[in-house]
Amino acid sequence: MSKVEKNKLDEIINLYGQGKKREALRRALIQKKVYPRNSDLLNALGIIFRSLNKLELAIRHYDEAIKFNKINPSFFNNRGNALRDLRKLKEAKSDFKTAIRLKPTSSKYWSNLAKCYNDCDETSKALLCAKKALQCNEDNLEALNSLALASDELGHHREALKSYNRALAIAPNHSTILSNYGRFLFKIERLDEAIDALKRAIHFSPSLVEAHYNLCEVHEKMGNLDLLAAAITYGMEQTSNNVALKLKKAFLQFREKKYSKCIQTLEPYLSDKLSQERKLVLYNLLGKSADKLKDFERAFFYFQKANNYAERIMVKKNLSANRYVKTVEKNKFAFLKATKEKTVNLFSSHENRNLAFLVGFPRSGTTLLDTILRTHSSIKVIEEKPIVAKLISRARSLSGESNIFELSDTKLDMLAQEYLADLKKIAENVEKSKVIIDKFPLNLIYVPFIRKIFPNSKFIIVIRHPCDAVLSCFMQNFAPNDAMANFVSLKQAATLYNAVMSCWLTYSTHIDIDYFQLKYEDLILNFEDNTTELLQFLGLNWEEELKDFNETAMKRPMINTPSYNQVTEKLYSDSCGRWKNYERQFAKQLAILEPWVQHFLYES
């Protein structure tokens, strides 16, 4: 590069650094005519175009720069960033890998690859790349942020917390990290700290959309509707009415039963280039609003659109509906094998008389019953914590290739003690409660093994009309996992219902389970009698405070299920028989569900 070329390029870079992007672009385009093969100039044009959000033009100029210089790693890194902006993640990963191959000691390049892997939900790879970046530079904030995000996604909460704390020790005012940190704190139920972190993020970057969105999410899930309204108003002012905040405005309108207004707020954004996650939220809200307005054809159309996006997210995260159905069937098979061979005693001798498990198919009323029961002075409810899943995983590791029912009494006792220790970590003073209820609906598939470890435990199974339960699952926006992947279509949901209830029928037929079966509809229509009968099963008496269970729900800091906005209301029967509004869409699923309708003595 000649001295003249270098001086001209330095002028352009200085103008860009001063924020004079348009003037820098004008001069760079003039110089391109004079020096069309100057790769540094072409790279500079790529940087300027990217900063102006002209991503295709940016990539075109990076392409030209690379054509004339194939060994400069920064050119590949810069093109990777523009490709990532366009969500062309496969191509972006390739460019970051090339940049790393050319300069493997660059913390920045490793960090960018980590971000790309996080975008692709290749979380384990993101974790490794973030660690590589930090080996090159332990103070790389973006790498620390990527490491925290990946650790959180993998359930390594202690490591995530450590990474966030390290990042904020270096840059306490970093708004993006504060926003992510606030969302993480909310996830681990450190609610006041979450709100504080998000408010700090907004203070330092008032136009940061994600921080406003995350703060609204916290207020929404905590049921603080007045604070949610204020956060939405302020967020929309600061972000020029960003569509993400419009989603929160629509949610508030839905909660206020302004269903037509909710639809009016959302429909202008049907063609917007929102993320799949936010398209899912948008169509789910439209579906629920149309359902409330009794426009059922329109509602079903919107629910299908929402679930199309849900399915894409599940695929992206490598989740599998069939894998979970096979898990259900595998548990039933293992149980039947153990009972048929009769090589083991299905019951151990561990004593725990105050432990009960609340199970059922999702959306059958378990959260409502949870809220009612936790109102009782002698009951402690543990809401949807995966401690039984952890127990099963530990049992499988102890049994190796053998059936978990073949574990020795010593190992079973060890598992029981580990479970009880986890209970104490999750809930304060849990050992002082007269009755402890572990509520996790799909723990139903593990009932025989739970029964084996805790033979004196009780089980409460909540039943709802099979068609209503399946429809409600189809209408919900669940956190993605293998089990919830079954709810993207009525057929898959009905198939899972059949598998889960077949498990329950097999278990209850072959072993003497101490259980109480409660129909959701009976609870709604005859609350006091059915609740009293259930309490007697648990060895407890009726308390008048139970009538005001919805006040208990409103006082709770947070409810961790999709029912959080319903159990704060008084009992209503609108959801009983809702499936008949969609009877035409259910036609093909009735063959699967009708035997269960009859088994549980419902009307077709």
Side-chain angles (χ1 to χ4, degrees):
M1 185 188 304
S2 69
K3 187 174 181 180
V4 174
E5 279 181 90
K6 186 178 185 310
N7 288 339
K8 293 292 185 182
L9 183 59
D10 288 345
E11 288 176 13
I12 291 165
I13 292 170
N14 287 335
L15 285 167
Y16 178 80
Q18 295 167 23
K20 300 176 181 179
K21 296 178 183 179
R22 296 288 178 184
E23 179 60 19
L25 177 62
R26 187 185 71 81
R27 294 199 189 185
L29 289 172
I30 292 171
Q31 290 306 307
K32 182 184 176 184
K33 293 178 181 178
V34 181
Y35 307 109
R37 299 171 66 87
N38 186 320
S39 59
D40 291 314
L41 175 62
L42 292 166
N43 180 61
L45 272 164
I47 291 170
I48 296 168
F49 276 124
R50 182 180 176 230
S51 72
L52 295 170
N53 203 34
K54 297 181 182 294
L55 298 175
E56 297 289 357
L57 282 170
I59 290 169
R60 188 188 308 169
H61 283 84
Y62 291 136
D63 288 344
E64 291 184 52
I66 290 168
K67 177 182 176 182
F68 298 121
N69 185 344
K70 293 182 173 62
I71 60 170
N72 189 320
S74 68
F75 296 173
F76 289 97
N77 178 70
N78 292 343
R79 187 172 67 179
N81 283 327
L83 288 164
R84 179 172 176 258
D85 291 343
L86 280 172
R87 312 307 292 170
K88 295 182 177 181
L89 300 177
K90 184 177 179 180
E91 296 95 323
K93 283 188 289 184
S94 178
D95 270 355
F96 292 138
K97 287 176 183 178
T98 302
I100 289 167
R101 180 172 52 79
L102 292 167
K103 189 178 179 182
T105 59
S106 171
S107 181
K108 177 168 65 176
Y109 302 161
W110 280 110
S111 178
N112 285 339
L113 183 57
K115 287 192 285 186
C116 210
Y117 276 130
N118 268 330
D119 292 341
C120 296
D121 289 307
E122 297 180 76
T123 315
S124 296
K125 291 180 180 179
L127 192 79
L128 291 173
C129 289
K131 288 181 177 179
K132 285 277 192 181
L134 292 167
Q135 286 173 6
C136 301
N137 176 9
E138 63 181 11
D139 293 338
N140 184 324
L141 291 172
E142 291 193 337
L144 286 165
N145 185 54
S146 291
L147 182 60
L149 290 170
S151 298
D152 176 20
E153 186 69 20
L154 291 167
H156 305 159
H157 292 161
R158 188 176 300 175
E159 291 83 350
L161 189 60
K162 182 179 177 181
S163 297
Y164 280 126
N165 287 336
R166 169 69 179 149
L168 291 170
I170 298 168
N173 302 341
H174 195 295
S175 297
T176 299
I177 294 175
L178 280 168
S179 178
N180 291 340
Y181 181 51
R183 184 177 58 188
F184 169 73
L185 289 171
F186 176 65
K187 183 176 180 178
I188 62 172
E189 299 184 25
R190 289 167 55 172
L191 306 180
D192 292 338
E193 293 173 82
I195 292 171
D196 179 65
L198 292 167
K199 285 183 175 179
R200 284 169 59 203
I202 292 167
H203 172 75
F204 294 119
S205 290
S207 62
L208 184 62
V209 172
E210 288 305 309
H212 288 286
Y213 188 89
N214 290 339
L215 182 60
C216 289
E217 189 94 346
V218 173
H219 289 319
E220 172 189 324
K221 296 288 175 64
M222 292 177 68
N224 298 329
L225 297 190
D226 290 340
L227 293 175
L228 173 60
I232 291 168
T233 300
Y234 183 66
M236 291 176 68
E237 289 172 358
Q238 297 299 314
T239 65
S240 302
N241 291 328
N242 184 276
V243 64
L245 278 302
K246 290 278 189 180
L247 292 179
K248 291 304 177 189
K249 179 181 178 181
F251 172 83
L252 183 61
Q253 290 168 330
F254 180 83
R255 285 294 305 270
E256 294 171 341
K257 305 186 189 308
K258 299 173 182 176
Y259 306 122
S260 295
K261 284 191 175 181
C262 177
I263 292 173
Q264 290 168 12
T265 297
L266 294 174
E267 285 192 325
Y269 302 99
L270 294 180
S271 60
D272 271 35
K273 292 183 178 179
L274 295 169
S275 68
Q276 291 178 346
E277 289 78 7
R278 289 186 182 160
K279 280 283 191 181
L280 167 54
V281 171
L282 183 148
Y283 279 109
N284 188 261
L285 268 174
L286 284 170
K288 288 180 176 178
S289 296
D291 177 78
K292 291 291 187 181
L293 293 170
K294 303 187 184 306
D295 189 347
F296 302 119
E297 289 291 330
R298 188 182 187 191
F300 194 80
F301 169 78
Y302 284 138
F303 287 130
Q304 280 187 312
K305 292 284 286 184
N307 282 315
N308 287 341
Y309 285 106
E311 187 170 20
R312 293 179 199 177
I313 293 166
M314 302 290 184
V315 170
K316 181 182 172 186
K317 291 181 176 290
N318 196 32
L319 299 171
S320 169
N322 289 335
R323 184 163 57 215
Y324 188 77
V325 173
K326 287 178 181 177
T327 297
V328 175
E329 293 170 347
K330 184 178 178 182
N331 276 276
K332 183 172 75 170
F333 175 78
F335 167 72
L336 287 172
K337 182 173 182 287
T339 56
K340 184 177 180 180
E341 294 179 354
K342 296 182 180 178
T343 55
V344 292
N345 175 12
L346 283 177
F347 309 115
S348 75
S349 57
H350 194 280
E351 294 287 333
N352 198 279
R353 297 182 181 278
N354 67 335
L355 188 58
F357 294 85
L358 175 53
V359 297
F361 197 74
R363 302 296 299 164
S364 290
T366 53
T367 300
L368 172 62
L369 188 57
D370 160 354
T371 306
I372 293 167
L373 292 173
R374 72 172 60 239
T375 305
H376 197 285
S377 61
S378 296
I379 293 176
K380 184 75 173 182
V381 181
I382 311 299
E383 184 193 29
E384 304 214 3
K385 300 296 182 184
I387 43 180
V388 167
K390 179 181 173 183
L391 190 73
I392 299 297
S393 177
R394 180 81 172 112
R396 285 176 179 150
S397 69
L398 288 172
S399 65
E401 296 300 316
S402 302
N403 193 314
I404 59 175
F405 289 102
E406 296 175 6
L407 288 170
S408 68
D409 286 345
T410 301
K411 288 181 178 178
L412 289 170
D413 189 66
M414 180 177 70
L415 288 171
Q417 297 300 339
E418 288 180 6
Y419 174 89
L420 295 172
D422 283 342
L423 276 185
K424 290 179 183 179
K425 289 177 186 175
I426 290 169
E428 295 179 5
N429 301 320
V430 69
E431 67 277 7
K432 296 180 181 178
S433 303
K434 287 186 179 178
V435 176
I436 304 159
I437 297 178
D438 182 341
K439 175 246 179 174
F440 203 114
L442 285 174
N443 279 345
L444 184 150
I445 68 172
Y446 301 125
V447 164
F449 192 67
I450 298 170
R451 180 79 174 82
K452 182 169 176 59
I453 296 177
F454 298 111
N456 294 310
S457 60
K458 296 176 183 289
F459 293 86
I460 307 162
I461 179 167
V462 185
I463 302 296
R464 184 181 183 186
H465 191 295
C467 295
D468 277 334
V470 164
L471 175 66
S472 189
C473 288
F474 177 76
M475 293 168 65
Q476 290 306 312
N477 178 9
F478 291 102
N481 58 47
D482 279 355
M484 301 304 108
N486 285 277
F487 300 140
V488 298
S489 77
L490 287 177
K491 181 179 179 180
Q492 285 175 252
T495 299
L496 180 61
Y497 186 94
N498 182 61
V500 169
M501 288 306 167
S502 292
C503 262
W504 172 247
L505 184 58
T506 300
Y507 301 158
S508 57
T509 300
H510 285 80
I511 53 177
D512 183 19
I513 304 170
D514 190 9
Y515 75 92
F516 185 94
Q517 181 173 294
L518 176 64
K519 282 187 175 180
Y520 168 78
E521 295 82 359
D522 291 343
L523 181 63
I524 296 293
L525 298 174
N526 194 351
F527 170 73
E528 190 167 338
D529 286 350
N530 282 281
T531 304
T532 299
E533 191 177 349
L534 172 56
L535 290 170
Q536 289 172 351
F537 167 74
L538 296 172
L540 301 171
N541 295 319
W542 168 265
E543 293 180 352
E544 284 298 311
E545 289 79 6
L546 292 165
K547 292 179 180 178
D548 299 319
F549 71 88
N550 58 310
E551 294 182 10
T552 299
M554 287 188 279
K555 291 174 184 176
R556 291 176 63 184
M558 184 172 66
I559 298 172
N560 292 316
T561 77
S563 307
Y564 65 91
N565 65 325
Q566 295 168 315
V567 295
T568 54
E569 301 179 9
K570 290 192 176 291
L571 293 176
Y572 59 92
S573 59
D574 294 6
S575 57
C576 297
R578 175 185 276 173
W579 76 275
K580 286 190 173 290
N581 299 322
Y582 301 89
E583 196 163 3
R584 183 180 65 80
Q585 290 86 354
F586 258 99
K588 294 180 180 179
Q589 317 321 322
L590 287 178
I592 300 172
L593 297 175
E594 183 62 32
W596 296 108
V597 172
Q598 294 180 18
H599 177 79
F600 292 121
L601 304 178
Y602 283 103
E603 292 183 7
S604 300

